[in-house]
Amino acid sequence: MSTLTGAFDWLTTGSNWRGSEGIGTRLTEHLLLTGASVGIACAVALPVAVGLGHLGRGGTLAINISNVGRAVPTFAVLVLLAIGPLGIGDTTTVVALTLFAIAPLVTNSYVGMREVDPGAKEAARGMGMSGGQLLRRVELPLAAPLIVLGLRLAAVQVVATATIAALIGGGGLGRFVVDGLANNRHDEVVGGAILVAALALIVDGILFAVARLVASGPRKVPAARTR
Amino acid sequence: MAIVASGNCLERNAWICGDYVRTRSDELWTASREHILLTVSAVVIGLVIAVPLVLLARRFRVAVAWIGGLTSVLYTIPSLAFFALLLPVTGLSTTTVRIGLVVYTLVILFRGLLAGLDAVPAAAREAARGMGYGPARLLLTVELPLALPSIMAAVRVATVSTVAMVTVGATIGHGGLGNLIYDGLSSSFKAEVLTASVLCVALAVVADLLLAGLEWLLTPWRHGRRGRRTARDGAPPGPVSVVPAQPGRSAA
């Protein structure tokens, strides 16, 4: 239990929050790594998954990519990239994090697009909508909840994995856990772990709230149309 | 050709090196064994805890929200942080890694078991009750067999994720093949890292196939006579229901 009070002391000591190796800097690094990785993953995965879902092709690939992502250890990929061509650095971390964020984004977006009620799609076609209109005005709004769920899973996973990036010498909050373990400073290890856990829960909570907002969105549309 | 190439592959620090596998086979075997033992014990203990929890949750539906909420919170905590948080209690031991892994498998198994049992058609349950089945007999001979595909899906997801997650245990010295990956990182030993990584993925694939085989054996009625519609049930709902329910976080 003394470690817990030690961790609390570590967290509440102002000097630990400042400086180039303080909690403030590490938190910023963690958020930047996460933001960049999730951003790139969205830019790559969403158009592909939504396109495939719209066309109804590539389902096996879209669904199995998540199974592959589960079986491949993130840690192994990080280390392979770090001692391989990319070397140790932020690029390696972002590449590895992006790779693992793509899987839940693709699978959930694809499933979301495929689960759109065929009746709604046929009705839209019957009203004379083109493929693009169908995509923008029917499929995307109805698939939005699952797309946001994919984003939430990806973001939480990346926040978690960014911690492991400290193992290959990257920045972020994982530094405290890894350096603390290496130097036997258990207050710092546990304090860092509390910060990481809190960050993961906060990100999850925020995106959960976004998902609630999005999920309530499409229901308003038919109501508005009945005027 | 292979013999010539492997001649000095350790000196060249090649990615693929037969000499490495030959000279370190003991090390590889020890690491694989630790990896397998950690995975199996995590999944088995997870299952042993999940079953009573699910029965409790079915009895008192209020408990579902509580247990579900608590397990989701635990699931969101990154594994490295989880191991670190357990340090003051269990130290740098396999127990620390095992507890962490059990918690993650528990979350997946709890959701899978509950979803599987909840999806049992009410008509089947009614019919069994009408035939005079008591609660225990109903559970064991009607509900469990019908829920088996979705229970096995959860067991497979839990096992595969655990195999990947064990590697993170290397940070506290008990990560099975992850120990070799971690060791290879500090010395930039390419063959060690690649061999251990490939073995790790191979373990996950083999475990998944074994469990798929077990499921096939346990559910003879789903593939008995030429492809009835039920035979397809496992495929599409599997990924659809399982993936959104559990973050594909492999080794974080």
Side-chain angles (χ1 to χ4, degrees):
Chain A
M1 282 301 111
S2 64
T3 318
L4 270 186
T5 49
F8 186 73
D9 288 343
W10 181 79
L11 281 172
T12 47
T13 306
S15 60
N16 285 337
W17 286 77
R18 290 184 291 268
S20 62
E21 294 186 352
I23 297 171
T25 313
R26 296 299 182 207
L27 182 64
T28 316
E29 286 171 351
H30 207 108
L31 290 174
L32 283 176
L33 285 173
T34 306
S37 310
V38 174
I40 299 173
C42 280
V44 175
L46 291 185
V48 173
V50 167
L52 287 176
H54 177 69
L55 299 171
R57 283 164 206 259
T60 322
L61 172 87
I63 285 171
N64 281 317
I65 195 172
S66 271
N67 296 333
V68 174
R70 230 192 321 270
V72 178
T74 329
F75 177 48
V77 172
L78 267 172
V79 174
L80 282 172
L81 290 176
I83 65 171
L86 288 178
I88 284 175
D90 285 345
T91 318
T92 310
T93 309
V94 171
V95 169
L97 295 182
T98 304
L99 284 177
F100 281 88
I102 285 176
L105 281 171
V106 166
T107 304
N108 284 287
S109 310
Y110 181 83
V111 170
M113 290 292 289
R114 295 313 298 162
E115 287 200 338
V116 170
D117 182 3
K121 280 193 274 192
E122 266 179 43
R125 292 251 185 229
M127 287 166 68
M129 282 194 190
S130 68
Q133 285 172 322
L134 174 73
L135 176 68
R136 276 194 310 278
R137 293 167 60 179
V138 179
E139 288 181 310
L140 274 181
L142 288 173
L146 264 183
I147 295 177
V148 175
L149 176 69
L151 178 67
R152 181 177 154 211
L153 296 181
V156 171
Q157 179 183 340
V158 167
V159 168
T161 315
T163 322
I164 302 181
L167 289 173
I168 61 155
L173 292 170
R175 277 258 64 84
F176 298 120
V177 178
V178 172
D179 293 345
L181 277 171
N183 302 309
N184 241 351
R185 292 196 302 260
H186 283 191
D187 297 348
E188 189 179 322
V189 174
V190 177
I194 293 173
L195 288 173
V196 171
L199 184 64
L201 289 172
I202 291 169
V203 168
D204 193 44
I206 291 175
L207 288 169
F208 179 73
V210 171
R212 284 298 265 287
L213 282 178
V214 170
S216 62
R219 267 180 231 128
K220 284 180 200 149
V221 179
R225 271 205 205 119
T226 53
R227 271 181 296 154
Chain B
M1 196 59 194
I3 301 162
V4 176
S6 67
N8 57 353
C9 66
L10 283 173
E11 284 165 47
R12 281 187 290 116
N13 194 13
W15 284 106
I16 301 169
C17 180
D19 274 355
Y20 167 74
V21 181
R22 255 192 306 282
T23 54
R24 313 285 176 92
S25 59
D26 284 353
E27 209 175 279
L28 283 167
W29 171 240
T30 314
S32 307
R33 203 179 48 202
E34 186 184 43
H35 210 108
I36 295 169
L37 286 176
L38 274 171
T39 306
V40 171
S41 63
V43 175
V44 170
I45 298 173
L47 208 51
V48 167
I49 304 176
V51 169
L53 274 185
V54 166
L55 294 182
L56 193 78
R58 276 162 61 78
R59 186 105 197 177
F60 309 97
R61 294 310 294 200
V62 208
V64 174
W66 280 99
I67 302 176
L70 178 69
T71 51
S72 302
V73 167
L74 289 175
Y75 198 87
T76 309
I77 298 174
S79 54
L80 183 58
F82 211 105
F83 296 151
L85 285 172
L86 286 169
L87 272 187
V89 192
T90 44
L92 292 168
S93 64
T94 7
T95 316
T96 306
V97 179
R98 193 172 291 121
I99 294 177
L101 296 174
V102 164
V103 167
Y104 292 111
T105 59
L106 183 60
V107 179
I108 301 170
L109 294 171
F110 177 79
R111 288 178 189 166
L113 282 162
L114 195 64
L117 289 174
D118 279 350
V120 171
R125 219 174 272 142
E126 289 289 308
R129 276 209 202 94
M131 288 168 71
Y133 279 41
R137 192 161 165 227
L138 175 69
L139 178 72
L140 291 175
T141 63
V142 177
E143 292 179 313
L144 263 188
L146 286 173
L148 208 56
S150 105
I151 294 174
M152 286 306 290
V155 172
R156 285 168 68 180
V157 170
T159 308
V160 171
S161 330
T162 306
V163 170
M165 208 182 289
V166 167
T167 54
V168 182
T171 45
I172 58 169
H174 299 280
L177 292 161
N179 290 343
L180 301 182
I181 299 176
Y182 203 18
D183 182 65
L185 170 67
S186 45
S187 51
S188 283
F189 193 170
K190 292 179 179 172
E192 186 175 28
V193 174
L194 187 65
T195 310
S197 305
V198 169
L199 272 178
C200 194
V201 175
L203 271 185
V205 172
V206 169
D208 196 45
L209 288 176
L210 284 177
L211 287 169
L214 179 67
E215 182 185 345
W216 195 84
L217 287 176
L218 287 176
T219 53
W221 61 90
R222 300 183 79 218
H223 45 79
R225 307 224 173 91
R226 61 192 66 189
R228 274 182 301 161
R229 255 190 66 224
T230 43
R232 269 187 78 249
D233 286 355
V240 174
S241 59
V242 166
V243 172
Q246 84 93 27
R249 169 178 354 121
S250 45

